Amino acid sequence: MTLDATLSRIDADMPAALDRLMALLRIPSISTDPAYKAECDRAADWLVADLASFGIAAEKRPTPGHPMVVGHVPGDGPHVLFYGHYDVQPVDPLTLWDRDPFDPAIEETPRGRVIRGRGASDDKGQLMTFVEACRAWKEVNGTLPCRITFFFEGEEESGSPSLIPFLKENADELKADLALICDTGLFESRVPAIMTQLRGLLGEEITLTGPDKDLHSGMYGGAAINPIRVLAKILGNLHDVAGRIQVPGFYDGVPDLPEDIAQQWQALNFDHGTFLGGVGLSQPAGETDKTPLEMIWSRPTAEVNGIIGGYTGDGFKTVLPSKASAKVSFRLVGQQDPHAIRESFRAWVQAQLPEDVTAEFHGHGASPAGQMSTEHPAFEQARAVLGAEWGHDAAFTGCGGSIPVAGYFKTILNMDTMLVGWAKDDDQIHSPNEKYDVESFQKGIRSWARVLDAIT
Amino acid sequence: MTLDATLSRIDADMPAALDRLMALLRIPSISTDPAYKAECDRAADWLVADLASFGIAAEKRPTPGHPMVVGHVPGDGPHVLFYGHYDVQPVDPLTLWDRDPFDPAIEETPRGRVIRGRGASDDKGQLMTFVEACRAWKEVNGTLPCRITFFFEGEEESGSPSLIPFLKENADELKADLALICDTGLFESRVPAIMTQLRGLLGEEITLTGPDKDLHSGMYGGAAINPIRVLAKILGNLHDVAGRIQVPGFYDGVPDLPEDIAQQWQALNFDHGTFLGGVGLSQPAGETDKTPLEMIWSRPTAEVNGIIGGYTGDGFKTVLPSKASAKVSFRLVGQQDPHAIRESFRAWVQAQLPEDVTAEFHGHGASPAGQMSTEHPAFEQARAVLGAEWGHDAAFTGCGGSIPVAGYFKTILNMDTMLVGWAKDDDQIHSPNEKYDVESFQKGIRSWARVLDAIT
């Protein structure tokens, strides 16, 4: 009865809920760009006011960067902490947007109504599905179904520099029985997915130097070493013909896929043709003996995310450059140790340098993979009720990306995290024309009502 | 008597000659960048005016690109055509320059006075050595020593797109007994060198496309092909471990070095340690079975002159890019056919593309190697008199670079070319902080006076 009334209330309130989301989307809270600092602050204020509008006392909490928003609602039953982030990615190149990214609109498309604008999916729209579910629940029942802590971050898209200190300083306050994070998507845009395997991430920047200045290839070409060629050769050696990464010890700690998970994933009938076809590809390009789902969920990778050297402008310049550099990242799984791999990668590069070429390394982030424990009863409870909303049984899935906050909740607060979200594959997060389906928004709100009902 | 008076006049006029060169260097005539089109035009105007200032009627002649400057001086004796180019290379990276590249200055250095600025050596300073020699000769003697055609190009650093049509359309006007080109250097910065072997040049730009948009490496990494990795692999395959180029048929038409030339070069006692040490290197990096002089003068090369793909700004972005591209050039020798090699290279790249990756090619210049005939008596006459100016006997040498115009003079005008110049190895042409020694400039002017005296 309580749930049905709440779901009805959610449906009836959709126009107002959409208006509220639009108001939040109009705030250009780009966290990585200092020019938008006041806007991040404004987004935090907006959230505090919105929680207050249905009787939840929250406050903006300062950090050396953008503020956190924290609110507590006492109650019986399990104590859950809900995390979302109110900051968004930059919008460049602006010319590829069909509208002002911060003047959002509901658009009718052949595949349904969408909310178009930066942050619609990542993560303002997703964050608001939980807030709206709580609002409806409270309006129908007068209270929330359990003890809830609201915790919103404003630096997720810029490396979360304040997150670890904030968690450490406020550990007693933030510790709950379980964290809920809404920053992931449906499997194949239709199957509700609880992500339990997350890859880690290691970033390395290499700069090779050969000659101490740029040279004329007519005068020196043939006798002087070219660092672009050396870098290309090394990066070309990163994978063998079977797609395996050649850095020594790289696969230490990479587990075989457990048989039960392998069967679950097999049952998902992943359509890699559609997945790759959506971006103009046809063939899975990873390890030749692995399935496409393994490639993106449970296998480690090495990628070159950027490369530059020599003359790259219009026309031609027969320069033999002094330097060439590349940004290389590794997605990590299981027990792979990012620090050990960083050292091994650097040694592996060094060992391939010919005479007269030196390498400088600059380390970027290093986070291990995360394996979510699913022991908390909420996991099975949630999985059991999500099917009713979406018409597909929910699945425990993997995720190719990294959600570092889930790892911090575990290591700093000793709290497990349930990752569930309603984004679709074509939401174009981090890209121009980001959108969130109105279906994701409405069913997402309803899903949270079902989950809150199930776990309490 | 005439020569001595002219040499004295040259020495006396040095301050004014340097002022004139500085004025020309202040014009940023970067031919490859359309933003500098008006500046190229201005450099041509400046040269017309400068020739007029000592009574030589020249004119700016339009082309679809930057203009030519052509002037004729009637006279007795051999008819020589002097060629130089007034355009210069781009100046990036600007941060590596110690001064504004187009605000030239005379600097005192431990190794003597130098003229610092873009184009000081390549080729404005060298071009002006001939102009100043003619000016002094005319001021001392009232006339020039022989019939001379002045011919200055403004597209040498951008592939000379207008040169062949211009030579063909004006063949009767431009044909002379011998061409003189001042765009080369002293051997080991001290021995006057008449270059008789020149490598050709072939430029290719490759762009590989994988996914049809930039992807998030968390979502797609492992399953989607990365065009940077494919490009690195291909470029890493360009040479084998012995430094030989792997493009099929590449060595067709590459001659063995004739025994007499090999002996001549042996006698030069080339100090590759000093040559490479000057740019921070120690080991010759070419074919392991060839001498360093062969590597730079008589062997073909393949170099990557530029590469770019993915995110190359500050920080890190885990993008899996849609495109990656590289500029590749080949130095050619003997009878190597640039067009055949272009086709073979493209086929070789295509054959290495995995599924889902496509390549686009953009061809840049294609000029075969040149072997100068030294039959014209001017070659021996010039060689005999240059020693007096420089304190070393002049030598017939090879050259690693390409001077395509010498080939066109032969094929279109049936005219041999004598290549002689005064640049030094450390002039940093095409690089930041380009310079030309004041010694090169002054002795260069005096050298031309000696050559003009000897050949008439």
Side-chain angles (χ1 to χ4, degrees):
Chain A
M1 282 302 293
T2 292
L3 177 62
D4 286 346
T6 303
L7 295 177
S8 297
R9 170 72 199 162
I10 287 167
D11 292 343
D13 199 34
M14 270 301 288
L18 283 167
D19 283 348
R20 286 186 286 268
L21 175 56
M22 299 304 232
L24 179 55
L25 293 177
R26 277 192 284 270
I27 304 173
S29 47
I30 301 170
S31 58
T32 200
D33 187 339
Y36 293 88
K37 180 156 182 52
E39 300 294 344
C40 292
D41 219 60
R42 199 152 69 88
D45 287 334
W46 188 96
L47 286 163
V48 169
D50 188 61
L51 290 172
S53 75
F54 62 99
I56 294 176
E59 55 183 13
K60 193 170 68 173
R61 302 275 284 270
T63 76
H66 305 303
M68 308 285 182
V69 172
V70 181
H72 297 288
V73 180
D76 301 324
H79 177 195
V80 298
L81 175 144
F82 176 83
Y83 166 94
H85 65 90
Y86 66 78
D87 63 319
V88 299
Q89 280 274 318
V91 294
D92 53 281
L94 201 53
T95 51
L96 295 185
W97 284 81
D98 294 330
R99 61 178 301 114
D100 178 344
F102 296 110
D103 177 24
I106 310 289
E107 294 177 6
E108 303 286 342
T109 78
R111 296 169 65 184
R113 290 200 304 158
V114 306
I115 305 149
R116 183 86 63 190
R118 174 55 90 221
S121 176
D122 183 16
D123 182 51
K124 289 172 173 173
Q126 301 240 66
L127 179 158
M128 289 301 289
T129 59
F130 187 82
V131 172
E132 294 295 346
C134 291
R135 185 194 320 269
W137 193 288
K138 188 146 188 291
E139 285 173 0
V140 168
N141 304 287
T143 61
L144 289 180
C146 61
R147 185 176 164 195
I148 298 179
T149 293
F150 295 84
F151 179 40
F152 304 142
E153 187 192 3
E155 303 183 328
E156 200 270 349
E157 302 291 7
S158 53
S160 296
S162 308
L163 182 61
I164 292 176
F166 191 87
L167 291 179
K168 287 184 173 170
E169 283 160 27
N170 302 281
D172 290 344
E173 178 188 352
L174 295 172
K175 167 92 171 88
D177 298 323
L178 182 71
L180 307 175
I181 298 184
C182 192
D183 198 16
T184 54
L186 302 164
F187 175 73
E188 289 191 338
S189 301
R190 54 187 173 82
V191 179
I194 297 171
M195 286 190 178
T196 61
Q197 287 192 285
L198 289 154
R199 292 195 289 197
L201 181 63
L202 170 66
E204 276 285 290
E205 196 162 348
I206 324 165
T207 301
L208 299 189
T209 302
D212 62 16
K213 55 180 77 70
D214 285 0
L215 306 177
H216 186 292
S217 80
M219 190 177 296
Y220 289 91
I225 194 108
N226 179 338
I228 299 180
R229 278 172 45 196
V230 175
L231 183 62
K233 189 119 198 153
I234 292 171
L235 297 177
N237 288 342
L238 203 45
H239 300 76
D240 70 9
V241 290
R244 279 182 68 90
I245 293 147
Q246 298 300 291
V247 176
F250 182 77
Y251 289 94
D252 291 352
V254 175
D256 289 333
L257 193 65
E259 194 52 39
D260 59 328
I261 298 283
Q263 283 177 10
Q264 234 189 79
W265 289 1
Q266 202 65 37
L268 286 170
N269 280 318
F270 176 55
D271 178 0
H272 72 259
T274 300
F275 176 72
L276 290 173
V279 296
L281 301 175
S282 65
Q283 285 296 315
E287 293 162 280
T288 50
D289 61 344
K290 297 292 183 287
T291 68
L293 265 195
E294 287 176 277
M295 290 178 192
I296 56 175
W297 285 356
S298 69
R299 297 297 300 174
T301 70
E303 288 298 348
V304 187
N305 304 113
I307 189 167
I308 189 165
Y311 181 70
T312 58
D314 285 343
F316 217 90
K317 191 169 162 178
T318 53
V319 65
L320 212 159
S322 169
K323 289 177 188 295
S325 66
K327 297 181 202 275
V328 177
S329 68
F330 301 89
R331 298 277 168 184
L332 307 178
V333 304
Q335 305 304 313
Q336 279 181 300
D337 176 349
H339 301 288
I341 290 173
R342 195 196 289 289
E343 292 315 308
S344 180
F345 173 69
R346 291 180 178 188
W348 178 81
V349 170
Q350 291 282 6
Q352 294 176 80
L353 295 180
E355 193 135 11
D356 291 334
V357 177
T358 57
E360 281 172 282
F361 298 92
H362 180 68
H364 290 272
S367 60
Q371 170 68 50
M372 305 291 114
S373 160
T374 56
E375 281 175 25
H376 192 286
F379 282 86
E380 278 304 329
Q381 291 160 347
R383 204 171 69 80
V385 298
L386 285 169
E389 184 63 39
W390 295 92
H392 297 275
D393 285 346
F396 290 159
T397 64
C399 171
S402 306
I403 303 185
V405 60
Y408 305 144
F409 285 163
K410 185 70 188 176
T411 55
I412 300 171
L413 305 183
N414 190 29
M415 172 169 67
D416 289 323
T417 295
M418 185 161 75
L419 291 154
V420 60
W422 332 110
K424 297 191 177 182
D425 294 340
D426 63 352
D427 279 359
Q428 306 190 97
I429 66 167
H430 294 208
S431 296
N433 295 324
E434 178 177 350
K435 62 88 177 165
Y436 196 48
D437 283 8
V438 172
E439 182 196 39
S440 290
F441 189 58
Q442 184 166 3
K443 289 194 172 189
I445 301 169
R446 291 168 55 96
S447 294
W448 281 119
R450 291 180 189 275
V451 169
L452 288 174
D453 181 61
I455 70 176
T456 56
Chain B
M1 283 302 291
T2 293
L3 178 61
D4 286 347
T6 304
L7 295 176
S8 297
R9 170 75 199 161
I10 288 168
D11 292 342
D13 198 35
M14 271 301 287
L18 282 167
D19 284 347
R20 285 186 286 268
L21 175 56
M22 298 304 231
L24 179 56
L25 293 177
R26 276 191 283 270
I27 304 172
S29 46
I30 302 169
S31 58
T32 200
D33 187 338
Y36 293 87
K37 181 157 181 50
E39 300 294 345
C40 292
D41 218 60
R42 198 151 69 87
D45 287 334
W46 188 94
L47 286 164
V48 168
D50 189 60
L51 290 172
S53 74
F54 61 101
I56 293 177
E59 55 183 14
K60 194 171 70 174
R61 303 272 286 268
T63 76
H66 304 304
M68 309 287 182
V69 172
V70 181
H72 297 287
V73 180
D76 301 324
H79 176 193
V80 298
L81 175 144
F82 176 82
Y83 165 94
H85 65 90
Y86 65 78
D87 64 318
V88 299
Q89 280 275 316
V91 295
D92 54 280
L94 202 52
T95 51
L96 295 186
W97 283 81
D98 294 330
R99 62 178 300 116
D100 179 343
F102 296 110
D103 177 24
I106 310 288
E107 295 178 5
E108 303 286 343
T109 80
R111 295 168 68 184
R113 291 201 303 157
V114 305
I115 305 150
R116 183 85 63 191
R118 174 55 91 221
S121 177
D122 183 16
D123 182 46
K124 288 172 174 173
Q126 302 239 67
L127 180 158
M128 289 301 290
T129 59
F130 187 83
V131 172
E132 294 296 345
C134 291
R135 185 194 320 269
W137 193 288
K138 188 146 189 289
E139 285 173 0
V140 168
N141 304 288
T143 60
L144 290 179
C146 61
R147 184 174 165 197
I148 299 179
T149 295
F150 295 83
F151 178 42
F152 305 142
E153 186 192 5
E155 301 183 329
E156 201 271 350
E157 302 292 6
S158 53
S160 296
S162 308
L163 183 61
I164 292 176
F166 191 85
L167 291 179
K168 287 184 173 169
E169 282 160 27
N170 302 282
D172 289 343
E173 177 187 353
L174 295 172
K175 167 93 172 90
D177 299 322
L178 182 69
L180 307 175
I181 299 183
C182 191
D183 198 15
T184 55
L186 302 164
F187 177 72
E188 290 190 336
S189 302
R190 55 187 173 82
V191 179
I194 297 172
M195 287 191 177
T196 60
Q197 286 192 286
L198 290 154
R199 292 195 289 196
L201 181 63
L202 170 66
E204 276 284 291
E205 197 163 347
I206 323 166
T207 301
L208 299 189
T209 303
D212 62 16
K213 56 179 77 71
D214 285 0
L215 305 177
H216 187 291
S217 81
M219 191 178 297
Y220 288 92
I225 193 108
N226 179 338
I228 299 180
R229 279 171 45 198
V230 175
L231 184 61
K233 189 118 198 155
I234 292 172
L235 297 177
N237 287 341
L238 204 45
H239 300 75
D240 70 10
V241 290
R244 280 182 68 90
I245 294 146
Q246 299 298 292
V247 176
F250 182 77
Y251 289 94
D252 291 354
V254 176
D256 289 333
L257 193 64
E259 194 51 41
D260 60 327
I261 297 284
Q263 283 178 9
Q264 230 189 85
W265 290 1
Q266 201 66 37
L268 287 170
N269 279 319
F270 177 56
D271 178 0
H272 74 258
T274 301
F275 176 72
L276 290 173
V279 296
L281 301 176
S282 64
Q283 286 296 314
E287 293 162 280
T288 50
D289 61 344
K290 297 293 183 284
T291 69
L293 263 197
E294 286 177 275
M295 290 179 191
I296 57 175
W297 284 358
S298 69
R299 296 298 298 175
T301 70
E303 288 297 348
V304 186
N305 304 112
I307 190 167
I308 190 165
Y311 181 71
T312 58
D314 285 343
F316 217 91
K317 195 168 162 182
T318 53
V319 65
L320 212 158
S322 169
K323 288 176 190 296
S325 66
K327 298 181 202 273
V328 177
S329 68
F330 300 89
R331 298 277 168 186
L332 307 180
V333 303
Q335 305 305 313
Q336 279 182 298
D337 176 349
H339 302 288
I341 290 173
R342 195 196 289 289
E343 293 314 309
S344 180
F345 173 69
R346 290 180 178 188
W348 178 80
V349 170
Q350 291 282 7
Q352 294 176 81
L353 295 180
E355 194 136 11
D356 291 334
V357 177
T358 56
E360 282 172 281
F361 298 92
H362 180 67
H364 290 272
S367 61
Q371 170 69 51
M372 304 291 114
S373 160
T374 56
E375 281 175 25
H376 192 285
F379 281 86
E380 277 304 330
Q381 291 160 348
R383 204 171 71 80
V385 298
L386 286 170
E389 184 63 39
W390 296 90
H392 296 276
D393 286 346
F396 290 160
T397 65
C399 172
S402 304
I403 304 187
V405 60
Y408 305 143
F409 285 163
K410 185 69 188 177
T411 55
I412 300 170
L413 305 182
N414 192 28
M415 173 168 67
D416 288 324
T417 296
M418 184 161 74
L419 291 154
V420 60
W422 333 110
K424 296 192 177 182
D425 293 342
D426 62 353
D427 279 358
Q428 306 190 99
I429 65 168
H430 293 208
S431 298
N433 296 323
E434 179 177 350
K435 64 87 177 163
Y436 196 47
D437 283 8
V438 172
E439 183 197 38
S440 290
F441 190 57
Q442 184 166 2
K443 289 194 171 190
I445 301 170
R446 290 168 56 96
S447 293
W448 281 120
R450 290 180 189 276
V451 169
L452 289 173
D453 182 60
I455 69 177
T456 55

